[in-house]
Amino acid sequence: MVNGRTYPRYRCGGRFFGRRVNCERVPMLPAKVVRRILDDPRKISYLLIWRNDDGEVQEAVRVISLGPPPYLPTADSIELKRTDGSVSHIRAIKWSLPRNGGYAILLACPFCCSLRRALYGWEPGGRYTSRAQTCGWLCRRCAGLRYASEGGALVLRSRGRWFLALEMQYGTTRSDRPEPWYPYVFSFPADAPEAGLCACLPKNHPP
Ligand SMILES: [Zn+2]
C-alpha cells in the first residue's frame, strides 16, 4: 500500500508490473487553454502543438468552437481535428464560482462524462509497456494513465542509514515532480508560419 491506495492486480512486492504510461508524458489539453480560445471574440480557430524535448512536434490539433448546443446553453462544443483528419468533439462546461461570480471552464470526458480540468490525447498501447498511442481526448482515468508520483515512483526507495545521512546533508531524496505536457497555442492560420509549423508537420505517432 502506498499513500493509502492499493493496486492488487498490478503490484507485487512494491513493484509495478504491466503497462504504465504517466500522464505527464502524454499531450494534455487543459481547460484553461480551451477557455482562452472560447473567450477570443474573433471566434477563430487555433492550433495546439506539443513538442518533445528536441523541439519536434509530436501532436497537433486544430481547435474550433462550434458554439453552445441548442439543448445545453451553458456549454460550448469544441471540435479538435488532428492532421490525419480524425475529429473529436468535446463539451466545455461553464462552472459558476460562488465567490466572485465568475466561472471556470471544465471539459467533459466523452467516455465517462465526468468534468475535468484537462483531457489527454494518448493512451497506453503499442508493443512496449511504456508506449502510448493516440486516442480520443479522454480524462486521465479513462485513458488509463497514471501520475508519475503514483506508487512512490518519485521517492528513492532505500531508507537505510546512508540515505538518511544523505538527506540530512543535502535535503530530501525525493526527485522533482515532472510538469504536465502543455501545448503551444497559436491562432490559426495567422501564427502558424511564424511558428515554423509548415516545416515540421506532426506525425501523430507517439514515440
Ligand atoms: Zn473519463
Side-chain angles (χ1 to χ4, degrees), residues 109-114 116 138-143:
C109 171
F111 192 77
C112 70
C113 299
S114 63
R116 303 287 177 160
L138 301 173
C139 74
R140 185 187 64 85
R141 188 177 291 267
C142 289

Side-chain angles (χ1 to χ4, degrees), residues 100-124:
N100 56 11
Y103 69 93
I105 288 287
L106 296 173
L107 304 178
C109 171
F111 192 77
C112 70
C113 299
S114 63
L115 298 180
R116 303 287 177 160
R117 290 192 174 88
L119 300 177
Y120 297 88
W122 297 354
E123 62 184 358

